[in-house]
Amino acid sequence: MVSGGLGYTDKGNPIVIGGNALEFFKRVGRYYGESAPRYLYEPHAAEDVFTEWLASLKIPVFFEERIETVSKSGTRISSVSTNLGNTFVAKVFIDASYEGDLLAFAGVSYAVGREGRTQYNESYAGVIKEPSSLSRHQFTVGVNPFGPDGKPLPMVYAGDPGKEGEADKKIQSYNYRMCLTQDPNNRVPIPKPANYDPAYWELFRRYFAVATPQNLTFNELVFVWHLQNGKTDINNNGPISTDYINGAWEYPEANWTRRQEIIREHIEYTQAYFYFLRTDPAVPESLRAEVATWGLAKDEFVKTNNWPHQLYVREARRMIGAYVFIQKDRTEEIEKQDTVGLGSYNFDSHHTQRIPVGSITLDEGDLQAFYAMNPFQLPYSMLVPKPTECTNLIVPVCVSSSHVGYCSIRLEPQYMILGQSAGVAASFAIDAGKNVQDIDIPLLQRRLRKLGQYLTPGDIPS
């Protein structure tokens, strides 16, 4: 996502960012002729930095490779074969994907969806239907969710929404982080989807009919993060925005054919969203005119028709490994003997479902809590499976955590930090001929510190 449209870095407190993560942001700064780390950047700048860095280290990258089979001998992965007919053999494997396909193919336990509040004693867990200060991007006015036939409108979930605090298998919503511009010399139109259905947007029309004018500006309907050269990172904002609520639930465990369909559904939703805003009579004329001034940046994502090449998969599988990182690991028990990095972000989940509650519409699942931004330690034990399941796999993205715990980890700087720590740990396991669960943690920590990684607040330069 760093080069896929997420040009506004969710960095939390940047003092915790060290090692290769900090080096990346410094390189982005140098890309723009600056000496300091740069946390706002155009997508192509991030891609150029990655490409040049990999080339300088002579690291080959295999694109469009999807796992089809995994061979194991006992608790060890022997090889991974892909759709392109390639087989990769290694002593240690790292699953750094958003989806966690390798860990699933390897028979490692995982969770999808939200735990209930009682499973790990987490006050923020489960369905969040009650009005709460923890939830944002909500309807502030009553909007009727039902059509003339008494059934929920197309944007509203018609199934069982679950009870307050209950577990479910639903996933927080995904979106595309859009790089747009108003520069007529670098602007191409956002396409109208071929299957555009005006009836789908009836709920949005009703919102426009009752919302206050201050909630009906472009900056209130989407977040506009301004980047260099007149470009943006557009993100979700408000009750109906670029998040395709209800649309991601199948994605984590879907096969590639279904995932491609879900990706296409997200593209078409986003295209239709902007088409509605610039053409529908329910939208105030001034807003329609404003939205019409925005288009895709012609010099970004040139290989994919200026559309971001990566769907923002905020959460998919979560490993259930040697240690499960939960709410208290962010709020209370923040020191870890096996720390391999620092985080600082709040709990951040986007909405999971849009549901009828009585005669009004509710977006459910958003969690914005614990804004202390204080450093907390990231344990190595959440990166490794249970030793009975797999002993040569490290997972720095789909880490072992609850949904709530994951919501404080799922940001790109933390992924970078954990990715470097996973790579060094893998080399330790190979050199020592040990399982990934049995490496020398103090030795690993000493090596990470030499590489500039911050493992405790005391490591942060004053």
Side-chain angles (χ1 to χ4, degrees):
M1 278 305 301
V2 171
S3 62
L6 207 163
Y8 175 86
T9 304
D10 294 309
K11 60 186 180 297
N13 189 338
I15 65 171
V16 307
I17 301 173
N20 281 349
L22 180 59
E23 175 62 19
F24 168 78
F25 293 113
K26 285 181 176 179
R27 288 180 181 230
V28 173
R30 292 196 292 271
Y31 186 94
Y32 287 107
E34 302 170 2
S35 58
R38 182 78 188 180
Y39 297 102
L40 284 167
Y41 43 80
E42 299 157 280
H44 79 266
E47 185 168 346
D48 287 351
V49 168
F50 280 134
T51 301
E52 292 169 9
W53 199 353
L54 288 164
S56 71
L57 297 171
K58 296 182 172 58
I59 297 174
V61 180
F62 297 82
F63 292 98
E64 303 295 334
E65 302 266 0
R66 298 186 294 276
I67 297 173
E68 290 203 338
T69 60
V70 170
S71 297
K72 286 182 73 177
S73 176
T75 60
R76 299 185 68 81
I77 301 171
S78 305
S79 64
V80 173
S81 298
T82 72
N83 61 304
L84 297 184
N86 292 318
T87 297
F88 298 88
V89 178
K91 294 180 179 179
V92 173
F93 291 82
I94 295 174
D95 186 340
S97 68
Y98 291 118
E99 292 85 1
D101 287 345
L102 176 54
L103 73 89
F105 272 101
V108 172
S109 299
Y110 64 86
V112 173
R114 299 181 286 187
E115 294 84 3
R117 288 182 191 163
T118 59
Q119 182 169 344
Y120 294 119
N121 194 29
E122 297 174 299
S123 62
Y124 299 153
V127 176
I128 311 173
K129 288 202 301 186
E130 298 296 330
S132 171
S133 61
L134 304 178
S135 178
R136 298 187 179 182
H137 312 297
Q138 190 56 265
F139 290 92
T140 57
V141 290
V143 180
N144 181 4
F146 298 105
D149 59 0
K151 297 179 180 179
L153 293 169
M155 300 181 81
V156 182
Y157 179 51
D160 180 10
K163 297 179 181 178
E164 180 74 14
E166 278 189 344
D168 61 22
K169 295 293 185 181
K170 297 168 185 170
I171 295 294
Q172 63 174 302
S173 53
Y174 302 165
N175 73 344
Y176 278 94
R177 299 292 286 258
M178 302 298 295
C179 187
L180 303 184
T181 183
Q182 292 176 301
D183 179 358
N185 296 315
N186 192 37
R187 182 182 64 200
V188 296
I190 301 172
K192 173 189 175 182
N195 64 347
Y196 180 75
D197 179 7
Y200 177 84
W201 298 92
E202 176 59 24
L203 187 75
F204 211 4
R205 288 189 192 90
R206 295 182 184 187
Y207 177 67
F208 271 97
V210 297
T212 56
Q214 61 263 32
N215 287 329
L216 297 178
T217 66
F218 190 62
N219 285 318
E220 288 297 321
L221 295 171
V222 296
F223 271 129
V224 183
W225 304 114
H226 291 280
L227 309 177
Q228 294 85 346
N229 298 312
K231 300 174 192 174
T232 68
D233 171 1
I234 297 288
N235 197 13
N236 183 83
N237 192 29
I240 301 176
S241 190
T242 58
D243 278 2
Y244 183 26
I245 297 175
N246 304 338
W249 302 344
E250 293 180 61
Y251 185 87
E253 297 182 290
N255 61 29
W256 183 244
T257 299
R258 179 60 185 133
R259 280 185 184 164
Q260 285 182 306
E261 293 172 351
I262 294 169
I263 289 168
R264 171 50 54 185
E265 290 164 7
H266 279 76
I267 292 172
E268 291 172 348
Y269 169 83
T270 309
Q271 292 174 343
Y273 179 82
F274 287 104
Y275 183 79
F276 172 87
L277 287 178
R278 70 176 185 262
T279 64
D280 197 280
V283 179
E285 184 177 357
S286 60
L287 179 56
R288 277 183 274 150
E290 181 183 1
V291 175
T293 67
W294 291 94
L296 303 174
K298 185 166 56 177
D299 60 349
E300 297 289 349
F301 307 115
V302 294
K303 295 179 181 179
T304 53
N305 297 317
N306 311 116
W307 196 269
H309 50 65
Q310 175 66 55
L311 177 64
Y312 191 3
V313 177
R314 292 188 171 97
E315 182 177 3
R317 295 182 177 98
R318 301 184 309 277
M319 180 171 64
I320 302 174
Y323 182 85
V324 180
F325 187 98
I326 62 175
Q327 181 176 320
K328 65 180 176 63
D329 293 301
R330 172 65 187 93
T331 60
E332 301 166 33
E333 299 175 13
I334 61 175
E335 296 182 1
K336 305 297 179 187
Q337 286 190 334
D338 62 341
T339 174
V340 290
L342 293 175
S344 68
Y345 216 75
N346 55 284
F347 296 112
D348 184 328
S349 173
H350 283 233
H351 282 300
T352 302
Q353 56 184 341
R354 180 175 292 124
I355 57 176
V357 177
S359 60
I360 63 171
T361 308
L362 178 76
D363 287 344
E364 186 277 315
D366 190 79
L367 172 63
Q368 307 293 327
F370 203 74
Y371 277 85
M373 297 295 178
N374 61 308
F376 64 94
Q377 296 174 14
L378 303 169
Y380 176 72
S381 50
M382 73 175 180
L383 308 186
V384 294
K386 299 171 185 175
T388 55
E389 295 182 344
C390 193
T391 51
N392 68 333
L393 175 67
I394 306 177
V395 182
V397 175
C398 297
V399 298
S400 177
S401 62
S402 67
H403 164 70
V404 174
Y406 194 76
C407 287
S408 66
I409 295 171
R410 61 161 199 87
L411 293 312
E412 305 305 313
Q414 273 94 263
Y415 291 158
M416 293 179 176
I417 290 166
L418 293 173
Q420 181 178 12
S421 297
V424 176
S427 72
F428 272 43
I430 292 169
D431 291 345
K434 291 185 175 182
N435 296 333
V436 295
Q437 292 87 352
D438 299 329
I439 63 172
D440 187 325
I441 296 299
L443 191 64
L444 171 65
Q445 291 171 328
R446 286 196 293 273
R447 178 60 178 158
L448 290 172
R449 285 188 168 104
K450 286 183 180 180
L451 294 171
Q453 199 84 292
Y454 306 146
L455 309 188
T456 70
D459 296 334
I460 300 171
S462 57

